Amino acid sequence: MKHVIGWIDRRFPLTAFVKHELTEYPTPRNLSFWWNFGSLAGIVLVIQIITGIFLAMHYKPDASLAFDSVEHIMREVNYGWLIRFMHSTGASAFFAMIFIHMARTLYYGSYRAPRELMWWTGQVLLLLLMATAFMGYLLPWGQMSYWGAQVITSLFGAVPFLGDEMVIWLRGDFTVGNATLTRFFALHYLLPFIIVAAVIIHLVALHAVRSSNPSGINLKDKNNIPFHPYFTVKDLFGISVFFTVYSYFVFFNPNLLIEADNYIPANPMQTPAHIVPEWYFLPFYAILRAVPDLVGGVIAMALSVMIFAAMPYLDRSKIPGGARYRPIFRIMFYLFMLDILVLGYVGAHPPEGFLVPLGQIATFFYFAAFAFLRFFSKWEDKWLFNRGLPAEVQAMLSSEQAQKTDRRHHKKDRRETPGDNHND
Amino acid sequence: MIKQVVLVCLILSTACFNIFLATIIFVTTSFATTNNHPLENIVFSQDPASLQRGAMIYYDVCRICHSMKYIRYKTLQEIGLSNKQIDTLRGDKPENSTPEKTTSDHMLSTLYGQVPPDLSLMAKARKHGPQYIYTLLTSYTENEGKYENPVFPGIKMPDAMNIAVAINESSKEEIKNQAKDVTEFLLWASDPRASIRKKIGLYVIIYFSILSILLYFVMKRVWSRLDNVES
């Protein structure tokens, strides 16, 4: 074995890579379970790719065969129901993990320097995930698949001058049809591999700047522990708990998040009573509908997804630890979460009665939160400094300062890790 | 030690959480159609005797107008019909074939203006599908020779179970039981793998619950190496 590894090492930096990225990769000791969701999103991506490849072996991307082929998978392929329900539940699980992962980043201010590129590569990943999920939803060729794709592709008609041509170019036809289905299938198979590439870039960036942590400062070297075995085992534990909950949905309630209408084959002549997107698009859908004008609505919806990218610029606070030591930011964080839930509720119901003004107010607060942040973050810092920071924050700030001077003197000792001394 | 016991309980409660979730979803779900007509909240047992009676009712009554294109005759073995019974049902059709309606599409569209839908997926293709089907079948009323149904105003389908013209309470009960049987059958047909799915699912959840507990202790053990280091 040693010979084989030695042989490889002379030709490829295998041992050096494992050392640098795993056994010696320094990770903050104080990471909470909220830091598990990145690896959970990764495992869902793996589930989706594997089940997706097996589904593609039996699925037929043809408007006249697609619906039947899904039922064929559900009824006649050995364990086809399992693969299919793992894939359909996995889509929701993916978004759930990503939303929690993003919420953690927002709460702890992990998007702040030097992690802006982590946040922006994550933003690209979110867009790729949304595109992939949207295209995948057309493939079962049910009523909601069909009409959802019809509504969303028609939004591109809002693009000035080129709008109508763009809609036809996207659909490959004047309405959603066979041409749309085949291209969505091709792209739905392609995009996950682009997501994998983007995840690798995300991880390369992570290993350059390293994980943030609940304290919000760079910890002293002795408080960083090697990723393996401490975080490999912690991630494995998280994955196992995730599978327990995921299994409930796959085996006992797989149709909970599938609209009943999607078990009716697509019918271009009959529009369903209410066209609703999947739950993970509901808040954005509510924002789209809150603006009375189509062009304005499309802009608002695009902005509502993209505005997260501006967070490093909008949040000017210097207080470490994100929301932990910033009372106003913390309240705003929870209000923002509540606002998203309200938008989700509004998006799920037909726009009638009080839901119309409610959606508009919630949309206003959604954007107001970001706009307000730019101004109050500096002011909140000033207020907190004047009032006197808690002793622990003060200590953290001074220790960070001390570390910075320290590091200039002892640049060479940085790689030392405490876990190595205690292999019992 | 106490802390660990608490955490084991926490993991076990993750499994229980699944059951809670199911209960909450069930309790908070209001059973009503889109036009807000309340649906009868009955529980379906998928009992083989009931499924077999339901299959017969489908074969004799519903099949006149409705196909079931995703059900093959041979799969009726799964609800306990014998090969001989299946042979009688399929006649000279191959056992791999699916039940076809006995009236022609042309005839049906002349009579009702459209071809009645396939029933294979009906129990999943409506919100609260089984409750919807049962309430629909048992809600027909007769008014001066015209049929009405509050669950589906303007429905084209006639009162197939004859519940509107039932002569007394006992025959009405009888028809309701038949409606339940046929709904049980349609529920099975919409997802024939549901029972095996739940059976496997139970073991999978138990497996992952135990694995989580074991991994928790492995994690504690690995992390305990750090205890001597000041934080």
Side-chain angles (χ1 to χ4, degrees):
Chain A
M1 193 62 196
K2 240 179 190 165
H3 283 298
V4 177
I5 291 174
W7 187 90
I8 296 172
D9 271 337
R10 282 190 293 280
R11 289 155 180 85
F12 180 85
L14 178 70
T15 311
F17 181 81
V18 171
K19 257 190 182 169
H20 189 250
E21 309 305 338
L22 275 174
T23 53
E24 286 180 5
Y25 172 64
T27 313
R29 188 181 168 164
N30 59 342
L31 295 190
S32 67
F33 281 111
W34 292 112
W35 265 261
N36 272 48
F37 288 90
S39 74
L40 291 181
I43 206 79
V44 184
L45 176 61
V46 173
I47 295 175
Q48 290 303 82
I49 289 180
I50 293 173
T51 54
I53 287 170
F54 280 98
L55 285 173
M57 294 175 188
H58 303 281
Y59 172 78
K60 297 186 180 68
D62 182 300
S64 59
L65 302 170
F67 191 89
D68 287 349
S69 73
V70 173
E71 278 310 309
H72 166 70
I73 290 168
M74 293 289 292
R75 290 157 192 267
E76 277 148 12
V77 174
N78 284 334
Y79 291 95
W81 56 267
L82 178 60
I83 304 169
R84 196 266 172 132
F85 279 148
M86 278 178 79
H87 199 74
S88 67
T89 311
S92 289
F94 209 157
F95 276 96
M97 296 305 113
I98 289 295
F99 286 159
I100 298 172
H101 189 57
M102 286 176 72
R104 190 271 294 157
T105 310
L106 288 172
Y107 184 89
Y108 287 104
S110 307
Y111 46 78
R112 285 192 274 182
R115 296 187 181 81
E116 297 97 326
L117 276 180
M118 297 260 1
W119 184 238
W120 290 335
T121 50
Q123 175 86 51
V124 173
L125 275 166
L126 175 68
L127 292 177
L128 284 170
L129 176 65
M130 286 177 152
T132 312
F134 164 66
M135 289 174 183
Y137 192 55
L138 181 70
L139 305 187
W141 206 245
Q143 273 288 68
M144 215 47 100
S145 300
Y146 182 90
W147 289 98
Q150 189 82 14
V151 169
I152 301 296
T153 49
S154 73
L155 295 181
F156 286 87
V159 175
F161 308 116
L162 295 170
D164 293 338
E165 277 73 23
M166 231 173 126
V167 175
I168 296 169
W169 178 72
L170 280 173
R171 291 175 180 164
D173 202 340
F174 295 103
T175 59
V176 172
N178 201 40
T180 324
L181 180 62
T182 48
R183 66 186 53 196
F184 275 28
F185 176 68
L187 292 173
H188 186 69
Y189 206 113
L190 168 70
L191 283 179
F193 298 99
I194 296 178
I195 291 181
V196 170
V199 167
I200 291 171
I201 294 171
H202 196 62
L203 288 176
V204 169
L206 172 70
H207 282 232
V209 296
R210 297 180 189 169
S211 286
S212 64
N213 68 79
S215 80
I217 59 159
N218 287 321
L219 298 179
K220 283 182 194 150
D221 288 344
K222 64 172 181 178
N223 285 332
N224 284 308
I225 53 178
F227 188 85
H228 181 77
Y230 298 106
F231 287 96
T232 35
V233 70
K234 194 175 177 181
D235 280 346
L236 274 178
F237 168 69
I239 288 168
S240 182
V241 173
F242 164 79
F243 268 103
T244 317
V245 179
Y246 173 69
S247 302
Y248 163 73
F249 286 100
V250 170
F251 290 99
F252 291 95
N253 221 334
N255 288 316
L256 177 70
L257 298 168
I258 300 178
E259 284 291 324
D261 270 322
N262 228 26
Y263 282 110
I264 305 171
N267 182 357
M269 311 304 285
Q270 190 185 40
T271 318
H274 308 299
I275 301 175
V276 266
E278 293 287 83
W279 69 269
Y280 38 80
F281 290 138
L282 288 176
F284 311 111
Y285 188 58
I287 289 173
L288 168 76
R289 287 195 309 193
V291 183
D293 174 57
L294 175 69
V295 179
V298 173
I299 291 171
M301 184 174 70
L303 200 61
S304 69
V305 183
M306 293 307 298
I307 199 164
F308 289 103
M311 278 304 287
Y313 164 78
L314 294 175
D315 184 6
R316 295 193 291 177
S317 166
K318 292 270 182 289
I319 305 268
R324 264 174 107 202
Y325 303 108
R326 298 168 64 192
I328 303 176
F329 183 81
R330 189 167 59 233
I331 293 166
M332 263 185 62
F333 173 83
Y334 287 121
L335 285 177
F336 185 68
M337 292 295 129
L338 183 72
D339 193 56
I340 287 178
L341 292 181
V342 170
L343 282 169
Y345 179 84
V346 172
H349 293 82
E352 293 159 355
F354 79 103
L355 285 181
V356 178
L358 183 67
Q360 285 166 342
I361 292 166
T363 302
F364 174 77
F365 276 114
Y366 185 97
F367 290 110
F370 287 99
F372 184 50
L373 185 65
R374 172 79 183 151
F375 303 103
F376 97 86
S377 52
K378 204 84 195 170
W379 174 83
E380 187 191 25
D381 265 23
K382 222 181 254 171
W383 173 64
L384 287 171
F385 274 114
N386 284 343
R387 205 180 58 160
L389 291 166
E392 45 186 317
V393 183
Q394 208 102 51
M396 278 197 290
L397 281 174
S398 52
S399 96
E400 194 182 29
Q401 202 54 47
Q403 255 187 87
K404 271 180 191 162
T405 26
D406 209 34
R407 277 197 188 150
R408 267 174 230 137
H409 296 296
H410 309 279
K411 265 191 174 167
K412 279 177 187 169
D413 299 335
R414 280 173 68 180
R415 284 286 151 79
E416 218 167 79
T417 42
D420 291 352
N421 313 331
H422 296 272
N423 287 327
D424 39 309
Chain B
M1 193 60 209
I2 292 171
K3 203 178 147 199
Q4 287 167 353
V5 172
V6 168
L7 265 143
V8 169
C9 295
L10 266 178
I11 294 160
L12 281 176
S13 66
T14 313
C16 297
F17 163 77
N18 294 329
I19 300 161
F20 279 129
L21 212 65
T23 326
I24 289 167
I25 290 164
F26 188 76
V27 170
T28 53
T29 313
S30 59
F31 289 86
T33 63
T34 35
N35 62 8
N36 278 327
H37 187 274
L39 295 177
E40 286 204 49
N41 189 359
I42 26 174
V43 181
F44 293 89
S45 61
Q46 296 284 285
D47 155 56
S50 177
L51 286 173
Q52 289 165 22
R53 288 196 300 270
M56 289 307 175
I57 297 168
Y58 163 75
Y59 190 83
D60 293 336
V61 184
C62 317
R63 197 173 60 101
I64 298 167
C65 301
H66 295 278
S67 59
M68 281 186 96
K69 64 173 178 174
Y70 297 122
I71 290 295
R72 300 186 191 282
Y73 278 112
K74 66 172 181 189
T75 57
L76 292 175
Q77 287 172 342
E78 291 168 28
I79 59 169
L81 288 180
S82 70
N83 279 337
K84 216 169 174 190
Q85 284 170 302
I86 294 171
D87 287 346
T88 330
L89 291 184
R90 70 188 168 93
D92 52 358
K93 296 261 173 61
E95 60 174 13
N96 227 354
S97 64
T98 67
E100 284 167 23
K101 40 187 176 285
T102 52
T103 318
S104 74
D105 281 0
H106 176 75
M107 180 79 152
L108 287 167
S109 31
T110 322
L111 279 172
Y112 302 112
Q114 65 189 73
V115 180
D118 185 87
L119 291 185
S120 316
L121 282 166
M122 197 46 83
K124 281 206 289 194
R126 298 288 179 275
K127 257 193 175 147
H128 319 299
Q131 287 81 9
Y132 175 87
I133 294 169
Y134 175 81
T135 318
L136 179 88
L137 288 176
T138 53
S139 296
Y140 278 92
T141 52
E142 199 200 1
N143 192 8
E144 291 163 14
K146 283 193 83 178
Y147 293 107
E148 278 169 18
N149 197 322
V151 178
F152 189 152
I155 192 169
K156 300 253 174 63
M157 180 173 126
D159 178 17
M161 315 291 289
N162 289 326
I163 196 157
V165 291
I167 38 173
N168 54 36
E169 275 308 305
S170 72
S171 78
K172 216 169 190 173
E173 269 318 296
E174 174 70 10
I175 291 169
K176 278 188 173 174
N177 285 336
Q178 288 175 352
K180 181 165 182 290
D181 288 340
V182 79
T183 312
E184 291 268 17
F185 175 68
L186 292 182
L187 178 60
W188 170 82
S190 73
D191 194 353
R193 303 283 164 263
S195 64
I196 185 87
R197 191 182 75 220
K198 287 171 188 165
K199 215 180 205 167
I200 296 174
L202 187 65
Y203 291 115
V204 173
I205 286 182
I206 291 171
Y207 174 85
F208 278 115
S209 306
I210 293 171
L211 184 68
S212 301
I213 292 166
L214 292 177
L215 278 172
Y216 173 76
F217 285 114
V218 173
M219 183 179 75
K220 279 283 133 183
R221 178 111 187 215
V222 169
W223 278 69
S224 69
R225 293 179 200 168
L226 290 172
D227 285 351
N228 308 334
V229 185
E230 49 161 336
S231 50

